[in-house]
Amino acid sequence: MSVELNHTIVHCRDNRESADFLAHVLGLTTGTEWGPFIPVNLANGVTLDFATVPPESITVQHYAFLISEAEFDTAFERIREQGLPYYADPHRKHPGEINHNDGGRGVYFPDPSGHGMELITRPYGGWA
């Protein structure tokens, strides 16, 4: 059996807000609430299960999503429509810009709980 990531839990201040936020940006839908989790299913079968936890117990994480050029256009427009801050780099030194690393496009932006979200159209190293 090959090893695949099936799901991961994303700690957040409000599971509905965070799941709906990401689903909206990526053009996905949220799944049915199951216990303390609200899932967002990705195309490769991985589920992000959003769970509400006390804000002081949230450790900020980084989540990167590989998307097509057309999906990037749509998601980036949604980021701008919401007035979200965005950056070309994870250190937030290039605000209001996107990057063109590895011949693609990329952008970083925060989610409602402060997690670092990244959208890229080419994987690191340029493999497509």
Side-chain angles (χ1 to χ4, degrees):
M1 176 177 167
S2 63
V3 177
E4 296 181 4
L5 179 64
N6 177 264
H7 69 278
T8 193
I9 296 170
V10 180
H11 289 169
C12 54
R13 291 184 307 227
D14 180 313
N15 61 357
R16 174 61 61 193
E17 177 188 33
S18 291
D20 286 347
F21 169 84
L22 183 63
H24 173 72
V25 169
L26 296 177
L28 303 171
T29 58
T30 55
T32 303
E33 187 169 358
W34 181 76
F37 307 113
I38 296 180
V40 174
N41 296 308
L42 306 178
N44 61 346
V46 175
T47 302
L48 300 178
D49 293 328
F50 289 85
T52 301
V53 299
E56 64 274 7
S57 68
I58 295 173
T59 300
V60 173
Q61 299 292 316
H62 175 83
Y63 299 92
F65 302 93
L66 179 62
I67 61 177
S68 71
E69 291 287 341
E71 290 165 329
F72 186 93
D73 290 337
T74 302
F76 186 55
E77 183 59 30
R78 289 178 179 139
I79 290 167
R80 291 191 311 207
E81 284 174 355
Q82 292 182 59
L84 297 172
Y86 61 90
Y87 308 86
D89 64 301
H91 305 290
R92 300 180 176 188
K93 293 183 179 181
H94 300 280
E97 298 178 31
I98 65 169
N99 67 60
H100 297 278
N101 299 339
D102 295 303
R105 292 184 290 166
V107 67
Y108 297 81
F109 59 99
D111 88 334
S113 292
H115 295 300
M117 299 294 169
E118 178 184 9
L119 305 180
I120 55 175
T121 61
R122 288 281 181 107
Y124 294 120
W127 311 281

